Amino acid sequence: MYDAPMSDKCRVWLSLWVWVLASMISPEETHAAEGLKAGAARVEITPGTNLSNWITHKPYGEILEPIYTRAVVLEHSGKRIAMVSWELLYPMEGAAARARDAIQKKTGIKAGDIMVTATHNHSAPWSPVYGDPLTQAEQKVLDSFLTDPAYPAWAQKLIDSTAQAVASAVENLKPVTLSISRAYVGDVMFNRRPIKPDGSVQTLTSATEVYALPSGLRYGRVDPTLTLLLLRDEQGRTVASLYHTALHAVVAYPKYDGVCGDWHGPVSAALANELGGESIFLQGCAGDINPVRRGLDARDQISRTIIDRALKAARVTHPLSLTNDFRVASTIVKAPVKESLRAELGREHLPCEIQAITCGELAIVSLPGEPLSALSHEILERSPFAHTIVLGYSNGLGVQYVGMPGDRARGGYEMGVRSLGADECGRLLVDAAVELLRKPL
């Protein structure tokens, strides 16, 4: 019998091949496959009921549920990146800058490696205003809020709570895997800028019936996608779920005057309960995308639909490979102010920060202000990444509502007094975002 000697030879050859294959894998590649860490946390930022509602100019009066600043921190190869989501209307430039500074002082994460985004929640305050230029219309809207005696303390609470949320996320860092999945939620949204027979636009901000359009109107384009990112530890437990879609947070507003998390508040609570960990909503380019119905009853129905779809997506996640492409980059676009507002604002340009976070096959790019969905569509089409997520309402107000060239001529509420930039601004923002995504390491 010669089986034993033959087995010994096999073991020798097997050992040799294992050594050869192992030598072909660089230490960096091995590290990249196993090196991602993540931590998440939230801190409540609910204002007191006595704070002035910027819409009604009366105290909020009641709180349906708390609102939060939510944070996720990613670490790879010694580099840390923080993403913060405020359940507020906007993140003004001054407030985002103060939050970044407070986070850097508390955690050591560089200000430029921090993304501050908002959910565009109309049932919550604006972020604080620290020296940001405002039009006369904006000053009128915000006057009761900014002069309220309760405002300074709440403003400082927001900054302090944001730094604390990121610090807690850092404390919670642990090795994770990253996966992605998508679900259809097109039945809870519509493009509120339907097109007239002559090619112009009619804004339907509060339509009661969106499943049949009158007057020969044509539906505008909608991206029906809900994207779910899952960060899970080595035992398969969820550290954080990040979900993204473009849908105005105006289901409760204007029929409810108190504080609440609009449709995403119940969704985040349910996903955290069902999946574990923290759940964080990342708002897309929703400048022209509204919910199909409004009111608290509609909020319950829309939230349940999104929860159900997100949980189905969580059962079919696709793992994302990790490489050394883990970075954050940003650029400032000098967006020209439209001529009719230059004297009022006292400037010809407004700074618009574009930021991109890349992690292997995944890219998350953020735009300031309130971009129409067309900006997201074009960035997605031109992105070199297999998976790209485009956020609006990030790192500042920018030029507020912003569309692509030609949108202003087509009219509609979005291109009126709430749009501060010249017609070419959308193109400038898109080109800057794509350039960041294509920028080599």
Side-chain angles (χ1 to χ4, degrees):
M1 298 288 293
Y2 294 94
D3 291 342
M6 182 63 72
S7 178
D8 290 340
K9 289 181 180 179
C10 287
R11 280 195 292 270
V12 171
W13 278 106
L14 179 59
S15 298
L16 179 61
W17 275 110
V18 169
W19 179 85
V20 170
L21 290 172
S23 67
M24 295 171 63
I25 302 175
S26 69
E28 291 77 14
E29 289 172 323
T30 304
H31 183 80
E34 302 174 352
L36 183 66
K37 294 182 179 180
R42 74 179 188 276
V43 176
E44 187 178 337
I45 55 170
T46 312
T49 56
N50 58 328
L51 184 66
S52 178
N53 183 327
W54 59 274
I55 300 167
T56 66
H57 307 294
K58 299 177 182 179
Y60 276 106
E62 67 178 60
I63 297 167
L64 188 60
E65 68 212 350
I67 58 173
Y68 297 93
T69 175
R70 303 177 189 263
V72 61
V73 173
L74 303 176
E75 178 181 303
H76 189 281
S77 302
K79 182 177 182 62
R80 288 178 178 173
I81 294 172
M83 296 180 63
V84 171
S85 177
W86 285 342
E87 294 182 337
L88 304 173
L89 187 75
Y90 291 117
M92 302 296 285
E93 280 85 355
R98 289 201 182 194
R100 284 168 153 172
D101 183 59
I103 292 167
Q104 179 170 321
K105 289 178 179 177
K106 197 171 186 70
T107 69
I109 300 175
K110 295 179 181 179
D113 293 338
I114 301 165
M115 180 182 289
V116 180
T117 189
T119 63
H120 199 46
N121 179 11
H122 284 57
S123 295
W126 290 48
S127 79
V129 177
Y130 298 114
D132 303 293
L134 298 173
T135 65
Q136 293 176 4
E138 289 166 341
Q139 291 171 353
K140 184 177 180 180
V141 165
L142 290 174
D143 182 64
S144 68
F145 168 60
L146 296 178
T147 59
D148 192 304
Y151 163 76
W154 176 81
Q156 189 59 48
K157 173 184 176 180
L158 173 67
I159 303 303
D160 294 343
S161 298
T162 300
Q164 183 55 55
V166 175
S168 297
V170 170
E171 293 175 1
N172 296 334
L173 281 168
K174 60 182 65 177
V176 295
T177 60
L178 174 63
S179 61
I180 189 170
S181 57
R182 296 180 177 87
Y184 178 87
V185 291
D187 46 347
V188 301
M189 61 180 65
F190 78 105
N191 190 314
R192 72 187 194 187
R193 287 170 59 82
I195 306 159
K196 298 178 183 179
D198 64 3
S200 63
V201 161
Q202 177 179 333
T203 299
L204 301 177
T205 56
S206 57
T208 56
E209 175 56 71
V210 301
Y211 296 113
L213 291 178
S215 307
L217 293 171
R218 290 182 286 118
Y219 286 100
R221 184 178 177 184
V222 169
D223 182 349
T225 306
L226 175 84
T227 301
L228 179 69
L229 298 174
L230 284 182
L231 293 157
R232 289 176 167 143
D233 67 16
E234 294 170 328
Q235 287 73 45
R237 295 172 300 203
T238 302
V239 172
S241 57
L242 282 62
Y243 62 103
H244 166 272
T245 194
L247 179 61
H248 245 80
V250 292
V251 181
Y253 161 84
K255 297 184 178 182
Y256 177 71
D257 293 334
V259 175
C260 73
D262 204 73
W263 65 262
H264 56 77
V267 173
S268 293
L271 294 184
N273 182 61
E274 294 290 333
L275 300 176
E278 296 292 340
S279 185
I280 303 172
F281 172 50
L282 303 176
Q283 178 67 276
C285 296
D288 51 354
I289 308 300
N290 262 27
V292 292
R293 293 183 59 225
R294 311 280 279 272
L296 294 183
D297 289 343
R299 182 181 97 124
D300 293 341
Q301 295 174 5
I302 289 173
S303 296
R304 282 198 299 269
T305 297
I306 294 174
I307 292 165
D308 177 66
R309 306 286 171 75
L311 292 177
K312 288 179 179 178
R315 296 196 288 269
V316 293
T317 56
H318 171 72
L320 294 181
S321 62
L322 303 178
T323 69
N324 285 330
D325 186 8
F326 181 79
R327 62 189 173 105
V328 59
S330 63
T331 187
I332 303 295
V333 173
K334 292 178 61 178
V337 175
K338 62 184 180 183
E339 290 189 13
S340 60
L341 286 176
R342 290 181 180 180
E344 185 176 327
L345 287 172
R347 59 190 65 195
E348 296 186 356
H349 297 85
L350 287 171
C352 291
E353 180 181 355
I354 314 298
Q355 192 174 29
I357 296 171
T358 61
C359 182
E361 303 172 87
L362 173 69
I364 300 174
V365 60
S366 67
L367 308 179
E370 193 153 359
L372 301 192
S373 56
L375 278 70
S376 175
H377 298 321
E378 180 157 340
I379 292 171
L380 290 176
E381 290 167 359
R382 295 171 60 187
S383 172
F385 286 80
H387 305 281
T388 303
I389 295 173
V390 185
L391 312 186
Y393 314 94
S394 300
N395 298 325
L397 187 62
V399 291
Q400 203 162 341
Y401 275 107
V402 56
M404 294 299 287
D407 279 333
R408 175 160 287 114
R410 286 186 277 273
Y413 162 79
E414 299 81 3
M415 294 294 98
V417 295
R418 300 297 184 193
S419 178
L420 312 183
D423 194 47
E424 67 266 29
C425 283
R427 168 63 58 203
L428 296 175
L429 300 190
V430 167
D431 287 347
V434 173
E435 183 177 353
L436 280 183
L437 294 176
R438 292 180 175 175
K439 185 177 181 180
L441 286 172

